[in-house]
């Protein structure tokens, strides 16, 4: 699939799950800072070495690494494997496994249901995008 990003995210794609957006990028921003708080003003920017994270799968790297085109040339099987691995790497919380034992590999998200739901929706979108991209394997 051709990269649809032609503006702020031109050429960017997650090298783990193949997502084209959104990304969390550490930016530089100007602020007016007072003792009781701060306000942002003006524009913000980032560079190739700025930290970038894919909220769909949690992959973290630099902006330059997200701009690398290696994901585009991976085989469909490799793309599927990366996607499944990104899901399998997620920690469990407040879950009873098949044997009825409670499992808690981490604390639940601060946002509770809302964060869990958002993560699930991101994975559904990523899975649909991947299936559309690889077609009949």
């Amino acid at each position: 699939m051709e990269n649809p990003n032609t503006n702020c995210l031109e050429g960017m794609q997650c090298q783990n799950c193949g997502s084209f957006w959104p990304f969390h990028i550490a930016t530089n921003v100007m602020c007016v800072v007072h003792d009781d708080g701060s306000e942002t003003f003006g524009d913000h920017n980032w560079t190739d070495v700025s930290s970038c994270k894919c909220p769909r799968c949690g992959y973290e790297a630099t902006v330059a690494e997200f701009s690398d085109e290696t994901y585009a040339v991976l085989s469909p099987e490799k793309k599927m494997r990366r996607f499944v691995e990104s899901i399998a790497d997620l920690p469990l919380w407040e879950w009873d496994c098949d044997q009825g034992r409670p499992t808690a590999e981490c604390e639940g998200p601060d946002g509770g249901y809302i964060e869990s739901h958002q993560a699930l929706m991101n994975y559904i979108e990523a899975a649909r995008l991947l299936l559309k991209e690889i077609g009949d394997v």
Side-chain angles (χ1 to χ4, degrees):
M1 174 180 209
E2 186 175 326
N3 191 318
N5 294 331
T6 59
N7 195 10
C8 294
L9 298 176
E10 184 172 6
M12 290 184 66
Q13 182 177 21
C14 178
Q15 299 301 305
N16 185 56
C17 71
S19 174
F20 290 111
W21 65 81
F23 301 122
H24 298 171
I25 300 174
T27 64
N28 298 317
V29 63
M30 291 297 292
C31 296
V32 175
V33 181
H34 303 276
D35 188 44
D36 60 347
S38 64
E39 299 173 32
T40 61
F41 72 91
D43 206 0
H44 57 277
N45 58 61
W46 59 86
T47 68
D48 282 349
V49 296
S50 296
S51 176
C52 186
K53 180 177 182 178
C54 176
R56 288 201 167 124
C57 70
Y59 177 73
E60 293 183 63
T62 64
V63 167
E65 291 170 292
F66 271 76
S67 299
D68 186 21
E69 294 185 18
T70 57
Y71 184 84
V73 298
L74 290 177
S75 70
E77 292 81 8
K78 272 258 203 244
K79 289 178 181 182
M80 289 293 283
R81 180 168 185 80
R82 280 191 177 187
F83 179 72
V84 171
E85 286 172 346
S86 72
I87 294 172
D89 286 343
L90 293 171
L92 298 170
W93 68 91
E94 298 175 18
W95 181 254
D96 285 334
C97 67
D98 290 339
Q99 291 80 31
R101 291 188 316 267
T103 303
E105 298 170 349
C106 70
E107 294 292 320
D110 291 338
Y113 170 79
I114 298 299
E115 281 187 18
S116 298
H117 183 73
Q118 182 63 43
L120 178 59
M121 297 304 103
N122 285 338
Y123 271 108
I124 291 170
E125 284 183 358
R128 289 176 179 175
L129 179 67
L130 182 58
L131 286 173
K132 184 178 178 182
E133 181 180 338
I134 63 173
D136 296 325
V137 177

